[in-house]
Amino acid sequence: MKKKLWLSLIMMFVLSLFLVACGGGDNEDAQGDAGDDAESTDEGTDASDGDAPDFISFLTGGTSGTYYPLGGAIAKIISDETGIQTDALSSNASADNIIALQDGEAELAFSQTDVAAYAVEGINAFDAPVENVLALGSLYPETIQIVTTEKSGIKSVEDLKGKKVSVGAPGSGTYINAEQILEVHGMTMDDIDAQNLDFGESAGGIKDGNIDAAFITAGTPTGAVEELQATADVYVLPIEQDKADELIEKYPYYAADTIAEGTYGLEEDINTVAVLAMIVVTDELSEDVVYDITKAIYENSGDIAHDKGQYVTLESALEGIGFDLHPGAKKYFEEAGLDVQ
């Protein structure tokens, strides 16, 4: 009896060992599978966390200016050439665009070269240097247009004294342009009744008689001014040569410019000044992504479905840029043979 009991105990012990061994083997297999899955997941994450995002936002400007339609055309090229869905969004333009990039609200943006330089230095509209925004490249001249009508009787910058004048949307580079141009003419914002309107509002205000003139910094012809021309005889104030020279000497990012006869129905060329439009980019985008975006823009500029596309050239891509290029843009321009400082 005792012998049978002993044998039963031994058999139960052996059976338990067998079950533990089988369970242990299953557990090891499960752990092995989990380990393989974890390894696969890590590898998948590495692949999905590659440099290229699925979507990027491109901040432009007001819908009545040049930035918005041009931005849409450039966004399409970026999307087509890189596979990254790029959405062009309307905005208050230069200064606000850079602040939005600083705050991580977008990846690409238009800016005037002068405003971007202010951002990096932390002056004018910027309380402190913006450290996460870099240059991608310059695009085309942005002409300073001081727009009024023939019937206003305003023929010079000095005639703006005491008038209701739009100086651009809050946060825009146009405001700073207006301030600096008034400065070289011995005036300040206190000498005018300054109105903070965007381009469309400015044109509408002139049309309705609510304002007398407007500073508009944009590529010519500008849509808002063309709309005004449909209902009024447009006149653009000239900036005389000595004042232009003084402005350029003090603020070197300006250049002399001319609005050609016939633009907006003008009967003669109008001498003025310009800054440059450029694209700025957050440093969060990788070198490879910005390289691809830069290449897409400058190698397909002939396909930009906007009149300003003709000015987007590799030869002028570095003009007016006074701060650091993104490493991806720098790499592309160096490979293209440009002298990148």
Side-chain angles (χ1 to χ4, degrees):
M1 184 75 178
K2 290 182 178 179
K3 188 173 182 180
K4 288 183 179 179
L5 178 62
W6 178 248
L7 288 172
S8 297
L9 291 172
I10 290 174
M11 290 178 64
M12 290 176 63
F13 179 72
V14 171
L15 179 61
S16 67
L17 287 177
F18 176 78
L19 291 174
V20 168
C22 291
D26 289 344
N27 190 48
E28 286 174 3
D29 288 344
Q31 289 178 345
D33 290 342
D36 290 343
D37 288 342
E39 185 175 351
S40 298
T41 301
D42 287 343
E43 290 174 357
T45 300
D46 288 342
S48 64
D49 284 348
D51 293 330
D54 293 326
F55 303 95
I56 57 175
S57 295
F58 183 9
L59 298 178
T60 60
T63 55
S64 297
T66 301
Y67 277 178
Y68 183 70
L70 176 63
I74 291 177
K76 183 179 186 306
I77 285 177
I78 295 172
S79 298
D80 291 346
E81 294 296 321
T82 69
I84 302 170
Q85 178 61 45
T86 305
D87 297 324
L89 308 175
S90 64
S91 71
N92 278 339
S94 297
D96 278 6
N97 285 355
I98 291 175
I99 291 170
L101 259 61
Q102 181 184 37
D103 293 342
E105 297 174 6
E107 292 77 29
L108 294 176
F110 280 136
S111 175
Q112 295 172 200
T113 50
D114 54 336
V115 176
Y118 301 149
V120 172
E121 294 178 42
I123 61 174
N124 290 326
F126 301 92
D127 296 330
V130 175
E131 298 179 349
N132 66 330
V133 173
L134 299 168
L136 185 146
S138 292
L139 301 172
Y140 66 91
E142 290 198 274
T143 306
I144 314 298
Q145 306 167 71
I146 311 175
V147 178
T148 185
T149 61
E150 290 283 356
K151 72 176 183 179
S152 73
I154 300 171
K155 297 298 179 183
S156 69
V157 175
E158 289 85 355
D159 289 343
L160 295 174
K161 188 171 291 188
K163 304 295 186 180
K164 287 185 178 180
V165 183
S166 172
V167 293
S172 73
T174 302
Y175 182 94
I176 298 170
N177 299 145
E179 196 171 42
Q180 291 168 342
I181 289 170
L182 291 173
E183 176 191 346
V184 299
H185 287 84
M187 301 165 64
T188 70
M189 288 290 181
D190 293 335
D191 291 310
I192 63 173
D193 184 358
Q195 308 290 309
N196 297 117
L197 307 175
D198 67 23
F199 296 163
E201 293 167 337
S202 296
I206 294 173
K207 174 185 174 182
D208 297 337
N210 296 324
I211 62 172
D212 302 297
F215 282 82
I216 293 178
T217 301
T220 57
T222 305
V225 185
E226 288 183 311
E227 290 176 12
L228 176 61
Q229 181 196 355
T231 58
D233 293 328
V234 169
Y235 184 71
V236 180
L237 304 184
I239 297 178
E240 302 300 335
Q241 188 65 52
D242 60 331
K243 298 302 184 183
D245 291 342
E246 182 180 346
L247 185 71
I248 293 166
E249 182 176 358
K250 187 165 186 179
Y251 304 107
Y253 36 74
Y254 285 100
D257 197 13
T258 301
I259 302 174
E261 175 189 353
T263 307
Y264 312 132
L266 296 172
E267 296 180 355
E268 60 183 4
D269 290 349
I270 300 293
N271 294 324
T272 183
V273 292
V275 290
L276 287 164
M278 69 177 300
I279 295 177
V280 289
V281 57
T282 175
D283 63 5
E284 290 296 315
L285 288 181
S286 73
E287 179 177 322
D288 288 345
V289 167
V290 177
Y291 175 93
D292 290 342
I293 292 172
T294 309
K295 182 176 182 178
I297 293 169
Y298 288 96
E299 293 190 2
N300 296 278
S301 60
D303 296 328
I304 295 175
H306 190 281
D307 288 344
K308 291 303 170 188
Q310 63 184 306
Y311 298 103
V312 181
T313 66
L314 191 59
E315 292 73 23
S316 62
L318 301 180
E319 289 182 2
I321 297 177
F323 60 102
D324 290 342
L325 287 165
H326 190 286
K330 182 178 181 181
K331 178 181 177 182
Y332 172 73
F333 291 135
E334 286 178 337
E335 288 183 3
L338 297 188
D339 182 14
V340 180
Q341 300 299 322

